[in-house]
Amino acid sequence: QVQLVESGGGSVAAGGSLRLSCAASGFAYISNCMGWFRQAPGKEREAVATIYTGYTGGDRTYYADSVKGRFTISQDNAKSTMWLQMNSLKPEDTAMYYCAASRFFRSPTIGLRSPADFGYWGQGTEVTVSS
């Protein structure tokens, strides 16, 4: 089966950068779609970025408006590792960050995916941004 393990979280001052990693095992069961989500205390889990792989011309990526231009999602060709490069971090980026993978094919026409579209989840890595 699929196991997802996040790493790379930590504490950073506003304006700083972090790079989150998501190591996937059992990736033969992962379809074309993976994503990053975050959940701040007292708030619902929200989509941060979605990546669709296996397309001519390169992967297709989509971002929440709040992180566009600051965060970059990427994945290796074997789907064994996914990253989230986070630059120009803000205090409002403070949250638990989760990676997720879909077992089923997902169309990139939807763009940014919701949590309901993913069946596999990691345990999360905490990101704290101080002002």
Side-chain angles (χ1 to χ4, degrees), residues 38 48 63 67 69-72 84-87 89 93 97:
R38 67 186 181 187
V48 174
Y63 299 91
V67 306
R70 301 188 297 121
F71 290 11
T72 303
L84 184 68
Q85 178 66 44
M86 305 187 296
N87 298 327
L89 282 162
D93 294 318
Y97 283 72

Side-chain angles (χ1 to χ4, degrees), residues 3-7 21-25 36 82 99 121-125:
Q3 282 191 321
L4 304 175
V5 180
E6 302 96 334
S7 61
S21 297
C22 173
S25 61
W36 286 97
M82 182 176 64
C99 70
W121 292 87
Q123 82 290 347
T125 185

Side-chain angles (χ1 to χ4, degrees), residues 1-128:
Q1 294 298 328
V2 174
Q3 282 191 321
L4 304 175
V5 180
E6 302 96 334
S7 61
S11 297
V12 64
S17 298
L18 285 173
R19 191 187 197 206
L20 305 184
S21 297
C22 173
S25 61
F27 43 81
Y29 295 95
I30 296 175
S31 72
N32 65 321
C33 183
M34 293 185 69
W36 286 97
F37 292 79
R38 67 186 181 187
Q39 188 167 17
K43 294 189 177 182
E44 292 187 354
R45 189 168 297 188
E46 63 174 358
V48 174
T50 303
I51 186 167
Y52 300 85
T53 58
Y55 290 89
T56 302
D59 299 336
R60 301 185 186 182
T61 58
Y62 300 88
Y63 299 91
D65 288 343
S66 59
V67 306
K68 278 181 183 176
R70 301 188 297 121
F71 290 11
T72 303
I73 187 173
S74 59
Q75 189 175 8
D76 68 0
N77 290 336
K79 303 181 191 175
S80 60
T81 308
M82 182 176 64
W83 298 275
L84 184 68
Q85 178 66 44
M86 305 187 296
N87 298 327
S88 302
L89 282 162
K90 304 176 180 179
E92 51 264 44
D93 294 318
T94 295
M96 186 72 78
Y97 283 72
Y98 299 90
C99 70
S102 174
R103 176 180 178 184
F104 303 105
F105 174 84
R106 300 299 185 191
S107 172
T109 58
I110 299 297
L112 193 67
R113 289 273 173 180
S114 67
D117 291 324
F118 297 90
Y120 302 118
W121 292 87
Q123 82 290 347
T125 185
E126 191 164 7
V127 172
T128 302

